[in-house]
Amino acid sequence: MGYEDHKHLAPQSVNCAVIIISDSRTEKTDESGKLLVEGLSAAGHQVHDYTVLKNDAISIRNKLADLLHSTETQVIIASGGTGASRLDITIETVLPLLEKKLDGFGELFRYLTYQEIGTGSILSRACAGVALGKVIICLPGSLKAVKLALEKIIIPEICHLVREASR
């Protein structure tokens, strides 16, 4: 079967969880998470969990463990903590959990970002992978980055990703 055949067999809707990782944002001030929730919902997906966490590895790991063991969760999207500062620990916390890394996600995200902002795209460590049959996506925290990933990569491929990850 080819790409189109596989994509055709994907579910039409998936269950998502959104985690915002930031030391400065709250549920009231977080725009990126709201954009993710609204964009996923508008595309017909369900967002059953939305959480704002600090840049704390134990909190992030515990939340991911809960979501990975939830029968409801198919996709986990984390936003924030993916930069190059010493406070940015999302990638270091998530990577050890991944059974499969989907390198093309980060590569495509950086390519699309380069088209918008130029060489600053090298600072992005956006990534995606699979753990326990679930898709995990890590995005930068900026509103523009989330919008780009959501519109150009996540919405077009999320159902296909879930089908492949759950097989």
Side-chain angles (χ1 to χ4, degrees), residues 61-93:
R61 206 171 10 253
N62 288 341
K63 184 63 180 179
L64 287 170
D66 289 345
L67 293 169
L68 286 170
H69 290 94
S70 163
T71 56
E72 192 173 16
T73 306
Q74 294 173 291
V75 178
I76 301 165
I77 302 174
S79 174
T82 63
S85 89
R86 64 178 173 75
L87 299 175
D88 294 321
I89 60 165
T90 300
I91 303 303
E92 290 75 17
T93 306

Side-chain angles (χ1 to χ4, degrees), residues 11 31 40 47-48 68-69 75 104 110 128 148 154 161-162 167:
E31 294 179 339
L40 291 164
V47 179
H48 69 86
L68 286 170
H69 290 94
V75 178
R110 282 179 285 282
L148 175 73
I154 296 171
L161 281 168
V162 166
R167 293 180 36 183

Side-chain angles (χ1 to χ4, degrees), residues 20-155:
I20 301 305
I21 300 162
S22 173
D23 289 336
S24 60
R25 295 182 189 178
T26 66
E27 284 190 28
K28 283 186 178 182
T29 62
D30 169 48
E31 294 179 339
S32 296
K34 290 176 184 153
L35 178 66
L36 281 166
V37 171
E38 290 169 7
L40 291 164
S41 298
H45 306 294
Q46 293 74 46
V47 179
H48 69 86
D49 194 292
Y50 165 73
T51 306
V52 178
L53 297 175
K54 299 287 183 201
N55 280 299
D56 174 70
I58 293 170
S59 298
I60 297 166
R61 206 171 10 253
N62 288 341
K63 184 63 180 179
L64 287 170
D66 289 345
L67 293 169
L68 286 170
H69 290 94
S70 163
T71 56
E72 192 173 16
T73 306
Q74 294 173 291
V75 178
I76 301 165
I77 302 174
S79 174
T82 63
S85 89
R86 64 178 173 75
L87 299 175
D88 294 321
I89 60 165
T90 300
I91 303 303
E92 290 75 17
T93 306
V94 171
L95 283 180
L97 301 175
L98 298 180
E99 297 157 358
K100 294 185 183 291
K101 192 171 174 218
L102 302 172
D103 294 320
F105 182 91
E107 293 164 359
L108 179 56
F109 179 79
R110 282 179 285 282
Y111 170 74
L112 294 170
T113 302
Y114 176 78
Q115 291 180 321
E116 288 196 3
I117 67 167
T119 56
S121 63
I122 66 167
L123 293 170
S124 172
R125 297 189 302 145
C127 69
V130 177
L132 299 178
K134 301 175 194 265
V135 176
I136 301 178
I137 299 170
C138 298
L139 303 172
S142 82
L143 191 59
K144 284 181 84 173
V146 167
K147 184 177 188 311
L148 175 73
L150 187 64
E151 292 176 357
K152 301 286 186 178
I153 307 171
I154 296 171
I155 296 301

